[in-house]
Amino acid sequence: MTTVPVRPPLVRSSDRVIAGVCSGLAVHLGWPVRMVRTGMVVAAFAGGAGLAFYGWLWIMVPTADENAKRNARRPASPIAPAVSLPPVGLQPGPAPAPSFGTVPFPHAAPPPAGEYDAGTAFQPPAPAAAPGSGTWFRIRSMRYGKEILLGAGLLLVAAILIARLLGVEVPLGTLIPAAAILGGAAIAWMQLDETRRAGLVDKTKADQAGGWARLAAGLALVVAGVLVMVSGSGSWQQTWLALLASVAVLGGVALVLLPWGLKFWRDLETERAGRVRETERAEIAAHLHDSVLQTLALIQRRAGNEHDVVRLARAQERELRGWLFKDPARDAGQLSDRIKAAAAEVEDGLGNAVDVVTVGDTEMTERHEALVQASREAMLNAARHGGGPVSVYLEVSDGGAEVFVKDRGPGFELHNVPHDRLGVRESIIGRMKRHGGNAAINSSPDGTEVRLRLPADVADNGEGKS
Amino acid sequence: MRVVIVDDHAIFRSGLKADLDPGVVVVGEAGTVEQAVEVIAAARPDVVLLDVHLPGGRGGGGREVITGSAALLGATRFLALSVSDAAEDVVAVIRAGARGYVTKTISGAEITDAVFRVAGGDAVFSPRLAGFVLDAFGTAPADIADDELDKLSARELEVMRLIARGYSYKEVAKELFISIKTVETHVSAVLRKLQLSSRHELTKWAAERRLL
């Protein structure tokens, strides 16, 4: 069952003699077109079967264009996933269902529309049984299970009809109730899969109502079928009495089993919730052990060195904050993350507190990389020469990105910086200029502020958006 | 200056008490929401130093203390103190009525300064809070057509930007060639907008962070 052949979708081809049915079928089955056409003509002489089949396919099978449109519109169609798979060449895979290999028609039928058309005309229980039996027979891994089962049902009906025509006595009185029971059971059992899916996808009231209706319909069918079977051709009054009795029995059983079932269900829920909590607790404990406990131990050993203690505490605080307040919905690797990472690096290296405030954000580009590098250099200078805490502010707007790095050190004059010191001149001002931005340094005895500005690329207006 | 400290960590309360200026008298302490509402109603302090995260009550923390003391809001002012960086925590207490927000890591002198400022009716904005404000209101100045509450004026934006860049009120005043009093007026106006605005973007911004 695992080797379901991937077939090209059954569509009417544009390479056609009449309506493109034969060439479409040939592509779908992986047979030569000539063979399909010959077969169709031969079948046409066999009581017009070929003509009827051709006409039916003409009506039911969409053209390639229609099919593409339909798949685009409703990708959730039960068959769509199989149909929309990329056709893997035109290799003639093994027949989809070996037992029906000699009969190409049923599983070649186009899905939803064909189902109703084919089923209702012949035998009422069959279409009811078909949709659910996929689960019932545990063949859900088979993609065309429904279609194959429908085909099997139709073949069975055909066989019965032929047998009757040939004069063989078929016990219809037994067969029809049996089919009703099968159909009912299938409808009820279908639920298993449905509810599981509902729990996973979306548990809406409508789904539940549908589920209940299905259960009721299944029950009714099964009960009615059993009754007709047991009571033979009894009178309606008898049937009604029996029906009442069986419903009463069912109700009694449900009443007895319900509390037990509920308790079992609740225990299961509690246990599951407990396990989730336990996992969460273990994860938190592991994280705290790896981070906070280790840092606390380090702090105790370094208690004499104020500088180290502050640095350790800041680093740990930053790490814990990142863990606690991170927004999982946000993309990582944005400009603000990079600026924060640069600040953390400076903080770890030099021990000065570097506070980062960011407004807006943007994707990283090569030019932003330059901005981050220049900011890092500015932070290093601020921490090294300013001495105290450093304030970093990043603002990203449609116009571009700006970074301000401020310290409260004694300040400096740019023209007093020796010519061989390239930090400010090259790493900050030069770098920003090379990437179309600019850098300004405003220094006074109260502190220094470096202002880096990178305008949004004119050619690429989207990049500055936050 | 009479102050009540509300924080569930006794170590932090005693540390803060020792750090505060002698001019600030701590007249009460509380560690839970219920205690806080009770102590504040009894002591009627000038300023309440309020931790954002508090046990008790209905889980609303500092915000719940402010709503529980709503009758006193005119006479008693609230200054939020937090270790939390999360915008939802900070903006929630501001919108409940706190006059400012500072992080717990700032020095005793700075907290004392903030206490006096809040007691005088001004707002106290940390760089981070200014960042949140700019994020929420956007960095484009208001048009004349805009609702007054919905956007910041060009001047208010300038002030917020400078605070976010780490400028003190004094430095902001110097940079913009205005008096400290004018800076305080701008900051109070921003605080009022933050508390009263129901503009679409702010609501959306708050809703995304589960503030409303």
Side-chain angles (χ1 to χ4, degrees):
Chain A
M1 285 305 158
T2 48
T3 56
V4 178
V6 179
R7 289 178 176 285
L10 178 61
V11 289
R12 281 191 283 126
S13 149
S14 55
D15 163 33
R16 57 181 161 188
V17 175
I18 304 175
V21 167
C22 284
S23 53
L25 203 58
V27 168
H28 178 72
L29 295 174
W31 295 352
V33 187
R34 191 191 298 262
M35 198 174 124
V36 175
R37 283 187 178 141
T38 318
M40 198 63 89
V41 170
V42 169
F45 287 108
L51 285 180
F53 183 55
Y54 193 97
W56 184 51
L57 283 185
W58 191 347
I59 296 169
M60 289 305 168
V61 174
T63 62
D65 290 353
E66 282 168 1
N67 191 54
K69 266 186 222 157
R70 196 164 61 171
N71 280 342
R73 205 170 53 241
R74 335 171 296 160
S77 134
I79 304 300
V83 171
S84 58
L85 279 175
V88 187
L90 295 183
Q91 88 271 27
S99 46
F100 305 116
T102 50
V103 186
F105 303 153
H107 57 261
E115 237 173 60
Y116 306 124
D117 192 71
T120 43
F122 293 97
Q123 187 201 39
S133 24
T135 316
W136 206 62
F137 286 108
R138 300 272 186 274
I139 51 167
R140 77 192 69 163
S141 58
M142 204 157 81
R143 244 182 231 127
Y144 291 103
K146 283 180 190 175
E147 283 71 34
I148 289 166
L149 276 161
L150 178 65
L154 289 177
L155 279 177
L156 203 67
V157 173
I160 291 170
L161 286 178
I162 289 169
R164 274 175 70 94
L165 279 179
L166 295 178
V168 180
E169 191 57 42
V170 180
L172 273 184
T174 322
L175 270 184
I176 291 177
I181 294 173
L182 275 179
I187 291 175
W189 277 87
M190 234 156 80
Q191 290 224 112
L192 259 194
D193 206 35
E194 284 291 315
T195 45
R196 199 178 305 146
R197 204 184 307 153
L200 284 175
V201 182
D202 184 19
K203 217 168 192 166
T204 57
K205 293 260 193 277
D207 278 356
Q208 297 218 327
W212 283 113
R214 223 173 277 159
L215 181 66
L219 265 182
L221 266 179
V222 169
V223 169
V226 169
L227 280 180
V228 173
M229 235 177 167
V230 170
S231 66
S233 51
S235 68
W236 269 112
Q237 204 170 7
Q238 258 182 325
T239 314
W240 269 118
L241 273 176
L243 187 72
L244 217 66
S246 53
V247 167
V249 168
L250 280 178
V253 170
L255 206 66
V256 173
L257 289 184
L258 199 65
W260 178 80
L262 275 181
K263 187 181 166 298
F264 184 73
W265 176 252
R266 233 174 260 148
D267 285 356
L268 203 74
E269 287 281 286
T270 327
E271 196 205 314
R272 195 189 301 162
R275 218 166 23 211
V276 168
R277 265 200 305 276
E278 187 55 40
T279 320
E280 248 168 33
R281 208 197 66 81
E283 193 193 323
I284 292 173
H287 183 266
L288 290 184
H289 177 266
D290 290 349
S291 59
V292 177
L293 280 183
Q294 304 286 354
T295 308
L296 286 177
L298 271 176
I299 283 180
Q300 284 171 38
R301 286 176 45 194
R302 303 272 184 118
N305 187 335
E306 194 190 344
H307 183 78
D308 278 0
V309 169
V310 169
R311 201 168 65 181
L312 281 168
R314 288 282 304 182
Q316 182 54 57
E317 181 190 343
R318 205 173 50 233
E319 192 269 344
L320 198 57
R321 260 181 213 295
W323 191 66
L324 288 174
F325 301 123
K326 74 165 175 241
D327 186 354
R330 225 169 52 84
D331 294 342
Q334 302 271 73
L335 177 59
S336 68
D337 294 324
R338 296 294 311 277
I339 295 278
K340 279 177 190 159
E345 195 188 318
V346 173
E347 203 171 272
D348 282 345
L350 296 172
N352 301 58
V354 182
D355 289 307
V356 184
V357 175
T358 65
V359 172
D361 211 342
T362 180
E363 298 279 326
M364 286 296 293
T365 64
E366 210 175 311
R367 297 171 69 231
H368 288 124
E369 193 65 46
L371 180 66
V372 171
Q373 292 304 327
S375 308
R376 185 175 163 277
E377 196 64 35
M379 289 179 219
L380 274 173
N381 279 338
R384 210 176 278 143
H385 304 298
V390 179
S391 301
V392 178
Y393 173 61
L394 163 73
E395 182 179 314
V396 183
S397 63
D398 290 347
E402 277 182 295
V403 176
F404 298 87
V405 179
K406 182 177 167 60
D407 66 67
R408 292 176 186 283
F412 70 100
E413 292 284 337
L414 188 54
H415 58 257
N416 288 345
V417 176
H419 280 282
D420 56 334
R421 298 292 298 272
L422 297 177
V424 173
R425 251 184 229 104
E426 264 314 298
S427 303
I428 301 180
I429 301 176
R431 185 180 266 142
M432 290 308 292
K433 271 193 186 138
R434 276 198 298 280
H435 289 87
N438 59 57
I441 294 163
N442 185 4
S443 191
S444 75
D446 294 331
T448 304
E449 188 176 48
V450 179
R451 173 175 178 275
L452 308 172
R453 187 178 151 68
L454 189 72
D457 209 342
V458 190
D460 179 13
N461 262 335
E463 75 165 18
K465 298 237 167 72
S466 57
Chain B
M1 184 67 61
R2 304 169 70 253
V3 167
V4 165
I5 300 177
V6 180
D7 195 300
D8 53 327
H9 296 101
I11 295 180
F12 181 79
R13 289 203 302 264
S14 56
L16 183 59
K17 227 159 52 170
D19 268 0
L20 284 170
D21 201 72
V24 178
V25 184
V26 177
V27 293
E29 289 178 37
T32 65
V33 171
E34 289 87 358
Q35 271 179 29
V37 173
E38 211 173 291
V39 168
I40 293 165
R44 299 191 167 251
D46 300 307
V47 175
V48 178
L49 288 167
L50 183 63
D51 189 9
V52 171
H53 290 279
L54 277 180
R58 275 166 289 121
R63 184 171 31 144
E64 208 176 320
V65 175
I66 300 180
T67 42
S69 317
L72 304 169
L73 261 184
T76 299
R77 283 172 174 130
F78 292 84
L79 175 61
L81 272 175
S82 173
V83 288
S84 166
D85 265 354
E88 47 264 50
D89 297 336
V90 177
V91 177
V93 282
I94 295 284
R95 277 178 81 89
R99 299 288 302 170
Y101 154 82
V102 289
T103 50
K104 280 186 175 177
T105 45
I106 71 170
S107 69
E110 285 172 300
I111 289 194
T112 307
D113 182 52
V115 166
F116 277 100
R117 203 176 282 287
V118 166
D122 292 322
V124 172
F125 274 39
S126 67
R128 199 167 294 280
L129 179 56
F132 291 153
V133 168
L134 289 169
D135 232 0
F137 281 89
T139 46
D143 294 330
I144 299 164
D146 281 324
D147 185 347
E148 187 213 351
L149 281 179
D150 285 353
K151 282 211 163 175
L152 304 184
S153 72
R155 206 56 160 172
E156 286 160 359
L157 274 177
E158 275 180 297
V159 172
M160 279 299 119
R161 274 210 186 91
L162 287 173
I163 292 175
R165 278 156 65 179
Y167 282 59
S168 67
Y169 285 14
K170 205 169 98 193
E171 287 167 322
V172 173
K174 198 173 147 210
E175 178 81 16
L176 298 178
F177 304 106
I178 52 181
S179 70
I180 293 188
K181 199 68 228 162
T182 315
V183 175
E184 286 165 352
T185 312
H186 285 311
V187 173
S188 295
V190 173
L191 183 82
R192 196 175 124 263
K193 287 183 185 181
L194 188 60
Q195 286 172 344
L196 299 181
S197 174
S198 56
R199 75 191 286 257
H200 176 66
E201 280 86 350
L202 183 63
T203 334
K204 192 170 141 256
W205 183 84
E208 275 169 6
R209 291 159 177 77
R210 296 182 296 281
L211 300 191
L212 300 177

